[in-house]
Amino acid sequence: MSRIRLEWDVESQRIDGSSRESAAEKRRRRRAALALLALVLLLAASIALGLLFLRQRLLEIERQFAQLLQDTVKAEMAALRIGDLNSFLNIQNTEDANWLAGQQALFQQYGVLKSAGDIDLPGNILDVTIDRDRARVLVQENIKDLPYVRLWFYRRSDEGWRHVAQDLSFWGEGHSLESSALVVRYRDADELFARQVTDALSAWLENGCEILECAGLPPLSVDIAAEAAHEAAWLDQANMRLLIRSPYLDIARADYPFDGWRQLLVSKLLAERLVDAHTGYLKLSPFHDSHFLRASAIAWLSETFTRLDGGATLMRSLAANYGADKIARLLSALTDSGDLSLVEQGINLSLGEADLDWRDFVLWRLNLEAQLMTARRQDEWLSLYDTADESARLTAYERYRLNAPPTEVQVVDASVAIGSDGSARLRASVQAAGDASAEIVLFNLVGGVWKRAN
């Protein structure tokens, strides 16, 4: 027992001894720890300052590259403006012979436009995107006092920035705009265009489905792509998947890239899809009035969407004077061999009494005559004439025999008059292309159908 106590005592003395560290030693140890901490903090601060300096330096280099790019673009625009071909070509990618030849031709085109006073090149840069040695730049040019833009692409080398062919892989990241009825997918370069497409199609769908039956239709899906082969086309019409080409592959309006003619293209595709669904995907013969009525209804629906003139004079007057519901009813009544009497049935009025604009119908009938004559389809040809009228029949036979080549015509005016015997006659004024004189074309109303009478 005494031995155990002795070892305990010895250990206790050791512990007591360590706890009796002098104040001076504690201060020295504390100063050493503080010095180490200060060294670590100093090292961290030096690293942070170094990284900050490096970042600032990289930002400064990027700013220099960006400024050099803008200077290059402005110099290129200035060369176009003053007609300096050598300076213009020096900014191009000289390693691509096809690109260089195309740019030289473009330079000549600009020269023609400048000579006519149709173009102004202010040199405005509306947007710049740089990714390492690649860049895309949106530049403005004014055509007939309207603002347009082109998307130019550049590559940086030891010689500086050079204008290169369009880089479809550098169109930006993908995005989508979605609602319950519509999905629009696009990339960065097409953002403004995509938002305008989304706004327009949303309104068109709502408007179209108020007029025609849209129940059961899938949501409309739109892809905007620079790689598209056509300006606008269905990828999958049944499932309403639409592909629209980016407007920036060529020249586009700066303020409204989804401009009038692109609206007409897209609106006609959508209108046709809605009409197809409403008519149960009915296939129509191109030689009967039903074909015209369907085409005119599609053109009118496109006009309704865009507020642009699509030439749908008959359906426009039908909707204005008798209500848009009459068009929906007419489409529901279409058959493969249906004729104009469907219009009479829809409005409960004779065509001679109806307040309708027949100009697009007359144009269609004259074009149909030309097609049937060229194809030598005599029976279908004669069905367009009032053969009960001997004068009309003889005129038809003689015209068919002569087989004159078709000419492009426009219908200046068309009006209906009621004769003293109560019969209705449609009188149209028609002009051939390049001919200032007008020809009068007459139609008799036979069984609710207009038949040519001269």
Side-chain angles (χ1 to χ4, degrees):
M1 294 293 292
S2 61
R3 181 181 178 185
I4 294 173
R5 286 196 298 272
L6 178 59
E7 290 178 353
W8 174 260
D9 291 342
V10 170
E11 190 64 29
S12 298
Q13 289 174 4
R14 290 175 180 170
I15 294 172
D16 292 342
S18 64
S19 65
R20 292 195 297 273
E21 181 181 12
S22 68
E25 290 174 343
K26 289 181 178 181
R27 286 194 297 272
R28 282 196 299 274
R29 189 155 52 83
R30 190 178 298 112
R31 283 195 298 270
L34 291 173
L36 180 61
L37 178 61
L39 182 61
V40 170
L41 292 175
L42 180 62
L43 180 61
S46 299
I47 292 174
L49 287 173
L51 290 174
L52 180 61
F53 175 79
L54 179 60
R55 181 176 181 275
Q56 290 298 114
R57 179 57 182 159
L58 290 175
L59 289 175
E60 179 61 29
I61 292 173
E62 288 179 1
R63 282 193 291 268
Q64 291 175 0
F65 283 142
Q67 185 59 54
L68 179 59
L69 173 62
Q70 295 205 35
D71 292 343
T72 301
V73 176
K74 289 180 179 179
E76 186 174 7
M77 293 294 288
L80 280 174
R81 188 164 51 246
I82 65 177
D84 186 345
L85 177 60
N86 289 332
S87 297
F88 177 75
L89 293 180
N90 286 338
I91 299 173
Q92 310 305 313
N93 176 22
T94 56
E95 296 177 359
D96 186 341
N98 291 331
W99 169 254
L100 204 59
Q103 288 298 94
Q104 189 163 358
L106 182 65
F107 184 91
Q108 304 300 329
Q109 293 173 18
Y110 274 107
V112 172
L113 290 171
K114 287 187 300 178
S115 298
D118 291 336
I119 194 169
D120 174 44
L121 303 171
N124 296 338
I125 298 174
L126 304 185
D127 187 62
V128 176
T129 302
I130 299 176
D131 179 20
R132 298 181 179 87
D133 63 342
R134 299 190 300 178
R136 63 175 185 265
V137 182
L138 204 61
V139 296
Q140 179 181 343
E141 55 187 57
N142 300 326
I143 299 178
K144 295 184 177 179
D145 297 325
L146 293 175
Y148 286 83
V149 290
R150 291 187 187 271
L151 191 60
W152 287 356
F153 288 80
Y154 292 82
R155 285 275 184 175
R156 192 182 72 242
S157 66
D158 294 339
E159 299 177 349
W161 292 101
R162 291 293 180 265
H163 193 169
V164 298
Q166 287 180 324
D167 184 354
L168 302 189
S169 68
F170 188 38
W171 224 257
E173 298 296 323
H175 307 278
S176 66
L177 298 168
E178 302 183 20
S179 68
S180 59
L182 176 65
V183 177
V184 176
R185 287 176 286 269
Y186 66 97
R187 288 189 283 171
D188 288 330
D190 291 310
E191 182 174 1
L192 175 60
F193 181 66
R195 294 192 180 280
Q196 292 174 356
V197 167
T198 301
D199 291 343
L201 286 176
S202 296
W204 297 352
L205 282 169
E206 182 178 358
N207 192 3
C209 291
E210 289 176 354
I211 300 170
L212 303 178
E213 178 60 48
C214 291
L217 283 177
L220 178 59
S221 174
V222 179
D223 290 297
I224 298 172
E227 300 86 352
H230 304 284
E231 292 293 342
W234 289 108
L235 281 173
D236 183 348
Q237 187 172 5
N239 293 308
M240 293 184 68
R241 291 189 57 213
L242 185 64
L243 180 63
I244 302 176
R245 181 189 291 168
S246 168
Y248 300 109
L249 276 173
D250 192 12
I251 190 168
R253 279 289 295 266
D255 52 349
Y256 208 88
F258 192 38
D259 54 11
W261 75 273
R262 287 187 174 89
Q263 287 188 40
L264 284 174
L265 284 176
V266 176
S267 65
K268 285 178 180 177
L269 289 172
L270 179 60
E272 183 177 18
R273 181 66 179 84
L274 297 182
V275 167
D276 279 346
H278 186 81
T279 59
Y281 306 94
L282 181 66
K283 301 300 182 183
L284 300 174
S285 165
F287 306 127
H288 292 92
D289 292 341
S290 281
H291 184 272
F292 161 75
L293 294 173
R294 175 184 177 273
S296 185
I298 291 171
W300 169 79
L301 193 57
S302 170
E303 288 186 353
T304 303
F305 292 159
T306 63
R307 301 293 187 266
L308 299 170
D309 187 353
T313 61
L314 177 59
M315 292 299 165
R316 192 188 310 152
S317 60
L318 179 61
N321 297 327
Y322 303 100
D325 62 302
K326 298 299 188 297
I327 295 178
R329 186 184 305 175
L330 174 63
L331 289 171
S332 297
L334 288 183
T335 62
D336 179 58
S337 58
D339 55 36
L340 288 180
S341 62
L342 293 171
V343 179
E344 284 192 337
Q345 297 167 19
I347 60 177
N348 295 319
L349 279 175
S350 165
L351 298 186
E353 300 172 321
D355 184 9
L356 297 171
D357 187 338
W358 294 101
R359 284 177 295 165
D360 61 335
F361 168 77
V362 172
L363 181 61
W364 174 75
R365 270 293 184 84
L366 295 178
N367 287 332
L368 179 59
E369 277 194 42
Q371 293 171 22
L372 293 173
M373 179 183 287
T374 300
R376 308 310 289 167
R377 302 182 65 147
Q378 185 173 1
D379 291 342
E380 288 94 339
W381 158 274
L382 286 175
S383 71
L384 304 180
Y385 281 77
D386 181 8
T387 53
D389 183 322
E390 184 178 1
S391 174
R393 186 175 67 253
L394 293 176
T395 299
Y397 281 126
E398 179 63 15
R399 183 175 288 126
Y400 190 83
R401 185 188 66 80
L402 290 174
N403 193 18
T407 58
E408 183 179 350
V409 298
Q410 62 175 345
V411 180
V412 179
D413 183 57
S415 59
V416 176
I418 305 298
S420 57
D421 59 353
S423 62
R425 172 164 281 192
L426 174 61
R427 184 179 188 274
S429 177
V430 177
Q431 279 185 332
D435 189 350
S437 61
E439 176 187 357
I440 301 301
V441 180
L442 301 175
F443 295 84
N444 292 334
L445 187 59
V446 180
V449 178
W450 291 119
K451 299 280 189 176
R452 186 163 180 181
N454 71 336

